[in-house]
Amino acid sequence: MKVCKFGGSSMASGETIKKVAEIIRSDADRKFVVVSAPGKRFKEDIKITDSLLNAYAECKKGKALDKLLAPIFERFVGIATDLGIQDKVDLTSVFKEIEQGIVASPIPDFAAAQGERLSAMLLAAYLGYEFIDAREIIRFADNGVFNAEYTNDLARKRLSDKQAGVVIPGFYGSTSSGQIRTFSRGGSDVTGAIVARAVKAEIYENWTDVNGFLTADPRIVENPKPIPELSYRELRELSYMGANVLHPESIFPVRKANIPINIKNTFDPQNPGTMILPGVLQHDRLITGIAGKKGFVSILIEKSMMNNEIGFTRKLLSVLENLNMSFEHLPSGIDTMTLIIADSEIGNKLQELVGGIREAVSPDRLEIQSDLALIATVGHGMAYKPGTASRLFTALSRVGVNIKMIDQGSSELNIIVAVSGEDYEKAINAIYEEFIN
Ligand code: ADP
Ligand code: ASP
Ligand code: MG
């Protein structure tokens, strides 16, 4: 039996949902379906989740909610009409309930979740499948932290005896007192993985709008080659480092149960896509893929004899801990240490952070550099192959890109470099040309 998750582009309109239904009906094993909210139908379109979050934010500023919800309502009515199921789902009463819920809600999660809920209701009605609300199977603690093992028990009990088809909304669940909580953006991938583990699926199919996991972001590299097979660990590295075709946390539930993930294209269902499998795959390829993200700051801390100062790193990191901030990398020299931190972690606390560091470790010099990008070149094939790093650095220097930091884990599964944000696209293309093209 298979669990299939359909993303926002697959659920974007009545027309695409008909393709989704065709895929589900073409294989009797596709019994458990997880869906995202309707995404973009064209480049400038707005994802339903973004419209809902905007409605929440504007409502809390005092704007009239019914006006903000009207275009969202219209979009769902349009989908229901295209599918010929306008009499099967009472969208008017569901939207009344959504309006009341948003007004009563102190956090955006309830609003954000409604796109998935409606999307699942409509697909269930169209297919004649049972709708099961994610609140019944996905559990968060009161502080919003996802409770994996409790959820697995809940989901297993609720789903294991299902003979006929079920549609479940992705992206959200609830606390034990019934308050809605969501995963981070793109989190329907995580729901699909949770359901796959709970029902012990033979495979977790993740249906999207590209022919599987590609060797680089198709918005940066023109026509990147697809990756036919990927290991769990390579997936984790690539998705964490910005290949957002799959949420980086979707690996955990399936890894516990050794379930393969197959990334497939709703708009080209015959294409085999990418298989993601446990273990190290034996390939002759050196590099599996490239991923990256922008928006990092580096803080260089220099102090003579730093290496002799017992507890130096602990003192430095306790500043971050006190500010509840996580860091990405911490490369070090004899008298220097560099913290690489995401802008999103720092928020408006840069002054506080720098002040805290000065106080905690009294550096001789402290230098801040903003607008950095990180790029990961990933592949099991790099291990024990001399010369990979030098090829990478040569490729970057050939196009005039200056490397600001290098980090290679001892697993030799990746080499991460930091470059200036303006060099990001150029650097990815240069690495792609060197190793993949
Ligand atoms: P869905 O709505 O189906 O969840 P997403 O938009 O979340 O789809 O993810 C698919 C998109 O991820 C692709 O359209 C592509 O633009 C982007 N993407 C970024 N990096 C990669 C990559 N390495 N391989 C494939 N797609 C990628
Ligand atoms: N709809 C949510 C988002 O846009 C979750 C998802 O698509 O997976 O982030
Ligand atoms: Mg997604």
Side-chain angles (χ1 to χ4, degrees):
M1 174 256 310
K2 300 174 178 172
V3 168
C4 16
K5 177 260 172 178
F6 291 89
S9 42
S10 308
M11 299 301 294
S13 68
E15 196 190 326
T16 61
I17 294 176
K18 285 181 187 167
K19 290 191 203 299
V20 166
E22 220 171 284
I23 290 167
I24 296 169
R25 289 186 182 128
S26 70
D27 185 342
D29 284 341
R30 294 189 176 123
K31 266 179 49 174
F32 293 92
V33 181
V34 172
V35 293
S36 287
K40 294 185 181 192
R41 293 158 291 185
F42 43 90
K43 201 164 174 263
E44 299 75 27
D45 201 11
I46 302 173
K47 291 183 178 182
I48 286 288
T49 310
D50 289 313
S51 305
L52 286 162
L53 284 167
N54 178 58
Y56 171 83
E58 294 297 316
C59 161
K60 296 299 157 181
K61 285 187 213 154
K63 289 239 176 83
L65 188 54
D66 53 348
K67 287 209 176 62
L68 294 160
L69 289 178
I72 306 174
F73 176 74
E74 289 309 325
R75 195 159 159 198
F76 279 105
V77 169
I79 292 175
T81 309
D82 287 349
L83 296 175
I85 51 165
Q86 57 279 44
D87 303 330
K88 290 192 183 165
V89 181
D90 182 359
L91 287 169
T92 306
S93 16
V94 178
F95 267 81
K96 277 207 185 95
E97 198 191 296
I98 292 176
E99 201 176 325
Q100 287 162 1
I102 293 180
V103 169
S105 189
I107 53 171
D109 300 43
F110 172 86
Q114 300 310 313
E116 267 68 13
R117 180 167 158 243
L118 283 157
S119 180
M121 280 177 167
L122 293 183
L123 181 63
Y126 184 62
L127 288 169
Y129 276 24
E130 182 182 358
F131 167 83
I132 294 187
D133 198 326
R135 275 186 300 192
E136 297 181 48
I137 57 173
I138 309 248
R139 190 63 80 237
F140 289 83
D142 287 337
N143 62 3
V145 174
F146 170 57
N147 190 338
E149 295 313 311
Y150 193 87
T151 293
N152 189 47
D153 283 346
L154 264 184
R156 211 186 49 225
K157 285 186 194 126
R158 184 73 176 89
L159 302 175
S160 58
D161 62 339
K162 291 291 164 211
Q163 299 305 321
V166 167
V167 184
I168 303 162
F171 190 39
Y172 73 94
S174 76
T175 63
S176 54
S177 58
Q179 193 181 43
I180 298 271
R181 292 291 185 145
T182 66
F183 294 109
S184 56
R185 295 300 301 268
S188 298
D189 293 330
V190 184
T191 309
I194 290 166
V195 173
R197 177 187 174 201
V199 303
K200 300 194 167 68
E202 80 195 57
I203 193 162
Y204 170 29
E205 290 181 341
N206 190 291
W207 292 83
T208 181
D209 63 349
V210 279
N211 282 332
F213 220 106
L214 307 171
T215 41
D217 188 331
R219 293 162 297 188
I220 296 174
V221 171
E222 208 183 308
N223 258 326
K225 291 183 183 157
I227 308 175
E229 284 186 349
L230 198 62
S231 76
Y232 282 173
R233 285 181 57 210
E234 288 170 323
L235 166 71
R236 173 78 179 139
E237 298 279 346
L238 287 167
S239 60
Y240 180 79
M241 283 303 295
N244 55 7
V245 59
L246 206 64
H247 192 290
E249 285 156 33
S250 30
I251 187 69
F252 299 122
V254 290
R255 193 168 68 186
K256 289 212 169 95
N258 268 326
I259 298 166
I261 307 173
N262 190 192
I263 307 205
K264 299 265 293 174
N265 190 350
T266 299
F267 307 95
D268 185 5
Q270 298 311 320
N271 191 294
T274 299
M275 280 301 278
I276 301 165
L277 301 157
V280 176
L281 311 171
Q282 294 308 323
H283 285 292
D284 48 12
R285 68 185 179 206
L286 184 62
I287 293 308
T288 303
I290 307 157
K293 38 190 182 180
K294 287 183 172 180
F296 291 90
V297 170
S298 76
I299 303 175
L300 171 92
I301 298 140
E302 187 177 329
K303 191 177 185 188
S304 311
M305 306 288 285
M306 168 191 290
N307 57 326
N308 283 342
E309 191 176 325
I310 306 287
F312 184 90
T313 316
R314 180 187 51 74
K315 282 183 246 168
L316 177 66
L317 295 185
S318 66
V319 179
L320 294 180
E321 194 175 347
N322 293 337
L323 290 171
N324 197 22
M325 227 179 249
S326 64
F327 68 94
E328 209 69 23
H329 293 277
L330 185 63
S332 61
I334 301 172
D335 294 325
T336 62
M337 221 169 244
T338 308
L339 273 167
I340 311 262
I341 310 178
D343 292 344
S344 55
E345 281 294 312
I346 295 183
N348 55 9
K349 291 194 241 166
L350 184 62
Q351 288 317 316
E352 232 177 304
L353 173 63
V354 168
I357 294 174
R358 287 194 197 282
E359 197 175 313
V361 298
S362 316
D364 302 333
R365 183 163 77 102
L366 188 151
E367 205 176 284
I368 299 169
Q369 209 173 355
S370 51
D371 187 27
L372 292 181
L374 296 180
I375 300 171
T377 305
V378 175
H380 291 292
M382 281 189 310
Y384 320 112
K385 289 251 174 55
T388 313
S390 88
R391 274 179 70 188
L392 185 115
F393 305 148
T394 310
L396 292 179
S397 75
R398 217 180 286 135
V399 292
V401 171
N402 181 20
I403 302 174
K404 316 245 178 202
M405 180 218 68
I406 301 161
D407 199 345
Q408 177 170 30
S410 51
S411 65
E412 290 196 64
L413 182 62
N414 66 24
I415 301 173
I416 296 175
V417 293
V419 301
S420 160
E422 60 182 21
D423 286 337
Y424 178 65
E425 282 83 5
K426 192 166 43 165
I428 289 193
N429 275 289
I431 301 171
Y432 183 85
E433 283 304 317
E434 175 66 29
F435 290 108
I436 295 168
N437 221 4

